[in-house]
Amino acid sequence: MTADQIIQTLEQKFGERIKSKNLEALDPFFVVEPGDLVEVCRFLRDEPALRFELLNCISGVDYCEPDPKKVAKAGFEPHLEVVYHLSSFTHRHRLVLKLMLPRWKGDKPGDLPEVPSVTSIWSAADWHEREVYDLSGVWFTDHPDLRRILLSEDWVGHPLRKDYEFPLEYHGIRGR
């Protein structure tokens, strides 16, 4: 199946719940709301014509221009994306699913946006979601053990956010 055929199958099943798509991208993708994520992912894995058995990776991407002089030219509103790369061994096809999130839950700085965990669908999501939480600051609800995976538990903040300020010192060790 081509990416176009896969997304047509999804649109037939989920209709308007497929918010957007881009078949011209290097990695064709479609977008859903976080509330639809688990149902769509379960369908992607279980539908015999699709059989996306493999979750390759989950990435967090921060679309934020911290330089006030460049905001007008940025071409986007500040937001986070959670990006899921999926593959089918059975049918030898790939697809990307995206979630668009506010940078902060309820626009309250410090309150992390929430996404349902897909660990019940792909066990590989366990560490991928922990990495996105740790580095990009996305909270995965119903994750079995959501805690930092790369940084120490007492680390403050999420270093892949564009507005993150690296500490000058950590436990008495000075940075550059």
Side-chain angles (χ1 to χ4, degrees), residues 6-156:
I6 295 167
I7 292 175
Q8 283 179 14
T9 301
L10 291 166
E11 288 174 329
Q12 288 171 357
K13 171 73 175 171
F14 296 103
E16 306 251 335
R17 292 162 59 186
I18 304 301
K19 295 299 178 189
S20 64
K21 62 186 175 186
N22 184 341
L23 299 170
E24 305 306 316
L26 183 59
D27 290 320
F29 69 87
F30 70 101
V31 178
V32 298
E33 294 290 334
D36 295 321
L37 177 67
V38 173
E39 185 180 357
V40 169
C41 287
R42 194 172 317 282
F43 181 78
L44 286 166
R45 184 197 65 190
D46 295 345
E47 171 59 34
L50 302 178
R51 286 282 184 242
F52 283 96
E53 303 102 340
L54 178 64
L55 170 66
N56 300 73
C57 68
I58 304 173
S59 304
V61 183
D62 186 4
Y63 285 88
C64 174
E65 178 50 67
D67 184 345
K69 296 175 188 172
K70 297 179 182 178
V71 169
K73 294 181 182 178
F76 55 80
E77 289 295 318
H79 68 281
L80 292 177
E81 290 184 8
V82 180
V83 183
Y84 299 77
H85 287 259
L86 308 171
S87 295
S88 170
F89 289 122
T90 303
H91 301 296
R92 302 178 64 92
H93 52 229
R94 299 179 309 164
L95 192 63
V96 174
L97 181 159
K98 291 185 179 188
L99 303 176
M100 308 291 190
L101 306 171
R103 295 193 75 245
W104 303 108
K105 182 179 176 185
D107 288 328
K108 184 178 174 194
D111 283 357
L112 302 181
E114 295 180 357
V115 171
S117 175
V118 293
T119 54
S120 64
I121 299 167
W122 298 290
S123 58
D126 185 350
W127 285 23
H128 293 295
E129 289 176 351
R130 286 179 60 194
E131 182 179 358
V132 172
Y133 159 67
D134 195 8
L135 299 178
S136 299
V138 175
W139 187 262
F140 291 89
T141 59
D142 298 322
H143 187 282
D145 186 23
L146 191 62
R147 59 190 164 96
R148 292 200 181 268
I149 192 169
L150 297 172
L151 300 169
S152 64
E153 287 292 326
D154 65 347
W155 193 268
V156 177

